[in-house]
């Protein structure tokens, strides 16, 4: 019998994984559990990742669940508790009240400064409108049940992060390049041992301000903020809260190490622009477990920066060791996406025991000539796809940026290989069930000068098709023909599939090269 294991642990919260065979986001059936410590608590678990709240610091606990064994753990000690209400925090103010937003930002900044090392700041129940708050090292921000941290409707007094700090390191960013950007409602820079937790809500206010009306533009020379922006942080835990209505990407760890995001709800309207759910960029050792996504763009987009227009690369950092499990991607352009900003390289990504429902794509890789970088060792297993358009895709002719449709980007003729040539190799997909497929099982379009290597599909089953599907090009590249209910197609890609029936006899491109008729 495999015992539960700890995913994240703080003085007041614990997140556990219940290792039940056949579990994805939900358990096959509810399990009774019991927690003993300073008192006894009983409950029923319906999800594979269980978040426990209202624990006591420095207390020994024993957790038991029906059919999965037991585990003992001790919560960390807490050096001090700071209450935001003691610093004059106002609740229930109007989001248009600029004075209240500024006053609350000052109160929260004073409260953060008062938190001792390894202490906790508690946000009480109520809606607290505040300008962006910067967190620090060795602290926990805890949202009580009913607490909402709400961004104001106005950008008045909103801080802007410069593209680089005083030492020249990237600080603000936009789509993989250094850029001035508005600070996120919650953000941290160079913080260590930081925990953000609790059953409360972070609301970025994108639905009640004008952020979503200028998705690719600037205001006051700055790009839109994220919902939660973590820059060069280390040893971060994000546990149990809801984050919604981000002005752009919802959670953006940038250059971080050892990040665990567990039991979160990440929300944005389906038509909100570029509101990706979780975008680790230039990060190492990131775990995403038990997350529920309903967003306006990609649910998870793994990135590694973008080479600059003149070849600038000093801001790039590889992304490595990303583990995604027991998550629910319930709408979005892609379930798990890699790129298109991948110039620093993306390696060792494992996606397992997840549900993707109503996402346009399941696993999606995208890049283009000029990016450089390498994508390698990408694994997806024990995943259910329901209502997807194309289950798996890898596209090395992605038409992003102003020159994305230029002949040198889109040509199917071989080009010279250099440091700007992207490389994709090592994609393994196994034990995947597909329901309601619209366009194609898989489309893999590589570069003639750098074909996609070592793609393996094992035990992939198509259970049903979307009978209302309209034939549509399944990837964003030029010269792609519309597809409907097709299998696996490859061009300049090496594919191994254990089911010959999945391999399509069709072609991807309408033309073989720029010079073909």
């Amino acid at each position: 019998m495999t015992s539960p294991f700890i995913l994240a642990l703080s003085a007041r919260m614990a997140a556990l994984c219940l290792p039940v065979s056949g579990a994805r986001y939900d358990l096959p059936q509810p399990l009774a559990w019991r927690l003993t410590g300073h008192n006894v608590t009983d409950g029923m678990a319906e999800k594979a990742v269980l978040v426990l709240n209202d624990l006591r610091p420095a207390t020994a606990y024993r957790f038991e669940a029906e059919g999965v064994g037991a585990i003992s753990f001790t919560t960390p000690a807490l050096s001090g508790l700071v209450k935001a209400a003691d610093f004059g925090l106002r609740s229930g103010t109007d989001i248009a009240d600029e004075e209240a937003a500024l006053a609350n930002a000052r109160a929260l900044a004073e409260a953060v400064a008062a938190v001792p090392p390894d202490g906790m700041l508690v946000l009480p129940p109520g809606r607290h409108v505040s300008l962006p708050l910067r967190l620090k090292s060795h602290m926990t921000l805890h949202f009580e049940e009913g607490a909402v941290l709400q961004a104001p409707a106005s950008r008045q007094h909103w801080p802007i992060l410069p593209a680089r700090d005083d030492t020249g390191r990237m600080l603000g960013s936009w789509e993989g390049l250094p850029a001035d950007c508005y600070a996120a409602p919650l953000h941290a820079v160079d913080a260590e041992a930081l925990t953000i937790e609790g059953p409360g809500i972070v609301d970025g206010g994108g639905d009640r301000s004008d952020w979503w009306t200028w998705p690719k533009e600037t205001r006051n020379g700055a790009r839109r903020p994220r919902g939660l922006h973590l820059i060069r942080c280390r040893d971060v835990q994000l546990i149990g809260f809801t984050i919604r209505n981000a002005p752009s990407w919802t959670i953006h760890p940038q250059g971080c190490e050892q990040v665990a995001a567990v039991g979160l709800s990440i929300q944005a309207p389906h038509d909100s622009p570029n509101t990706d759910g979780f975008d680790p960029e230039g990060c190492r050792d990131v775990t995403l477990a038990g997350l529920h996504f309903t967003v306006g763009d990609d649910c998870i987009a793994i990135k590694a920066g973008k080479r600059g227009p003149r070849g600038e690369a000093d801001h790039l950092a590889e992304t490595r060791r990303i583990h995604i499990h027991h998550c629910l991607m319930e709408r979005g352009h892609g379930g798990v996406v890699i790129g298109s900003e991948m110039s620093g390289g993306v390696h060792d990504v494992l996606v397992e025991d997840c549900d993707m429902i109503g996402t346009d794509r399941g696993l999606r890789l995208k890049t283009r000539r000029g990016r450089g970088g390498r994508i390698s060792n990408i694994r997806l297993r024990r995943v259910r796809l329901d209502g997807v358009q194309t289950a798996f895709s890898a596209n090395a002719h992605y038409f992003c940026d102003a020159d994305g449709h230029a002949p040198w980007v889109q040509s199917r003729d071989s080009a010279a290989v250099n440091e700007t040539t992207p490389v994709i190799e090592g994609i393994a997909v196994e034990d995947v069930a597909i329901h309601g497929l619209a366009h194609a099982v898989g489309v893999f379009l590589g570069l003639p000068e750098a074909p996609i290597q070592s793609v393996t599909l094992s035990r992939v089953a198509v259970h049903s098709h979307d009978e209302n599907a309209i034939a549509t090009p399944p990837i964003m590249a030029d010269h792609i023909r519309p597809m409907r209910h097709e299998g696996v197609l490859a061009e300049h890609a090496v594919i191994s599939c254990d089911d010959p029936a999945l391999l399509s006899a069709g072609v991807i491109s309408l033309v073989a090269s720029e010079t073909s008729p």
Side-chain angles (χ1 to χ4, degrees):
M1 181 183 296
T2 303
S3 296
F5 57 90
I6 297 289
L7 295 165
L9 182 64
S10 73
R12 291 187 57 184
M13 298 190 73
L16 297 84
C17 184
L18 306 180
V20 176
S21 178
R24 294 187 297 273
Y25 179 73
D26 292 312
L27 296 170
Q29 60 186 24
L31 296 181
W33 58 266
R34 170 167 289 188
L35 182 69
T36 55
H38 68 278
N39 56 23
V40 178
T41 305
D42 295 299
M44 296 293 294
E46 297 183 349
K47 302 173 184 177
V49 172
L50 177 65
V51 177
L52 303 172
N53 192 22
D54 292 328
L55 305 182
R56 287 189 176 182
T59 300
Y61 287 94
R62 179 177 174 82
F63 176 87
E64 301 173 89
E66 181 182 11
V68 294
I71 183 174
S72 296
F73 61 90
T74 300
T75 53
L78 195 61
S79 66
L81 185 69
V82 174
K83 296 181 179 181
D86 293 341
F87 290 80
L89 183 69
R90 307 182 198 175
S91 64
T93 56
D94 190 277
I95 61 169
D97 189 335
E98 297 176 7
E99 181 183 347
L102 186 58
N104 275 348
R106 291 169 177 158
L108 288 170
E110 291 176 6
V112 167
V115 177
D118 302 320
M120 176 179 290
L121 172 60
V122 176
L123 197 67
R127 182 170 57 85
H128 314 291
V129 178
S130 174
L131 286 160
L133 174 63
R134 179 167 172 171
L135 303 176
K136 65 179 184 180
S137 295
H138 298 284
M139 71 165 288
T140 295
L141 174 61
H142 183 89
F143 292 88
E144 294 282 15
E145 183 79 45
V148 180
L149 184 63
Q150 168 76 63
S154 170
R155 293 192 306 277
Q156 184 72 20
H157 306 298
W158 199 294
I160 292 175
L161 296 177
R164 296 180 183 269
D165 64 14
D166 293 340
T167 66
R169 297 179 299 175
M170 183 166 69
L171 189 62
S173 70
W174 183 255
E175 294 185 348
L177 290 170
D180 292 0
C181 68
Y182 285 94
L186 271 183
H187 61 282
V189 182
D190 294 320
E192 297 185 0
L194 171 64
T195 296
I196 305 171
E197 64 174 28
I201 298 171
V202 180
D203 192 319
D207 61 332
R208 291 183 290 277
S209 61
D210 72 345
W211 299 117
W212 294 343
T213 67
W214 47 281
K216 298 292 185 180
E217 302 171 19
T218 62
R219 295 291 186 271
N220 297 323
R223 298 286 189 171
R224 293 184 295 156
R226 301 356 161 223
L228 168 60
H229 198 179
L230 303 169
I231 303 170
R232 297 189 304 271
C233 295
R234 182 183 179 89
D235 188 16
V236 175
Q237 297 186 119
L238 310 175
I239 312 171
F241 59 89
T242 294
I243 181 167
R244 66 191 185 195
N245 299 325
S248 62
W249 297 348
T250 305
I251 300 178
H252 182 201
Q254 173 186 314
C256 297
E257 296 187 22
Q258 298 176 7
V259 177
V262 184
L264 307 182
S265 179
I266 299 175
Q267 306 170 4
H270 70 92
D271 57 351
S272 54
N274 303 112
T275 51
D276 294 7
F278 197 105
D279 289 19
E281 180 176 19
C283 295
R284 295 192 180 196
D285 299 305
V286 177
T287 297
L288 309 182
L291 306 187
H292 182 190
F293 296 89
T294 55
V295 293
D297 207 312
D298 296 326
C299 294
I300 299 171
I302 302 169
K303 302 175 181 292
K306 179 170 65 177
R307 192 177 299 270
R310 292 175 295 278
E312 302 94 327
D314 66 310
H315 61 285
L316 302 178
E318 72 171 12
T319 294
R320 188 179 291 274
R321 294 184 297 277
I322 309 294
H323 187 194
I324 301 163
H325 64 97
H326 297 102
C327 292
L328 171 59
M329 297 89 169
E330 194 179 27
R331 200 187 66 228
H333 292 182
V336 175
V337 177
I338 298 173
S340 65
E341 303 93 333
M342 45 64 67
S343 299
V346 177
H347 312 283
D348 306 331
V349 176
L350 173 60
V351 183
E352 57 184 348
D353 302 309
C354 290
D355 291 299
M356 302 180 187
I357 302 174
T359 59
D360 295 349
R361 308 290 183 270
L363 176 66
R364 182 187 189 194
L365 283 65
K366 51 186 182 180
T367 185
R368 49 156 285 187
R369 291 183 177 112
R371 290 286 161 92
R374 182 182 298 267
I375 298 173
S376 71
N377 191 24
I378 311 301
R379 295 176 291 162
L380 182 141
R381 64 193 185 192
R382 300 189 303 275
V383 172
R384 176 186 170 94
L385 305 177
D386 195 340
V388 297
Q389 296 177 11
T390 296
F392 321 116
S393 67
N395 177 12
H397 290 273
Y398 183 60
F399 51 54
C400 55
D401 294 337
D403 60 350
H405 294 283
W408 73 273
V409 176
Q410 293 298 329
S411 174
R412 305 303 196 265
D413 294 332
S414 187
V417 175
N418 55 37
E419 70 276 4
T420 70
T421 304
V423 174
I424 300 174
E425 60 185 5
I427 303 171
V429 175
E430 59 187 56
D431 297 311
V432 173
I434 303 172
H435 300 260
L437 181 72
H439 299 149
V441 174
V443 177
F444 298 89
L445 177 61
L447 299 172
E449 67 270 21
I452 298 170
Q453 300 289 337
S454 304
V455 177
T456 303
L457 306 178
S458 306
R459 299 179 299 282
V460 174
V462 180
H463 293 276
S464 63
H465 292 87
D466 177 4
E467 295 305 322
N468 296 317
I470 298 172
T472 304
I475 56 175
M476 295 174 66
D478 291 348
H479 317 304
I480 303 300
R481 66 178 178 86
M483 299 182 192
R484 180 179 186 270
H485 298 175
E486 299 207 31
V488 178
L489 299 97
E491 183 177 310
H492 304 303
V494 179
I495 309 291
S496 174
C497 181
D498 65 352
D499 183 358
L502 286 180
L503 300 176
S504 176
V507 297
I508 296 176
S509 299
L510 292 169
V511 293
S513 72
E514 292 295 314
T515 59
S516 297

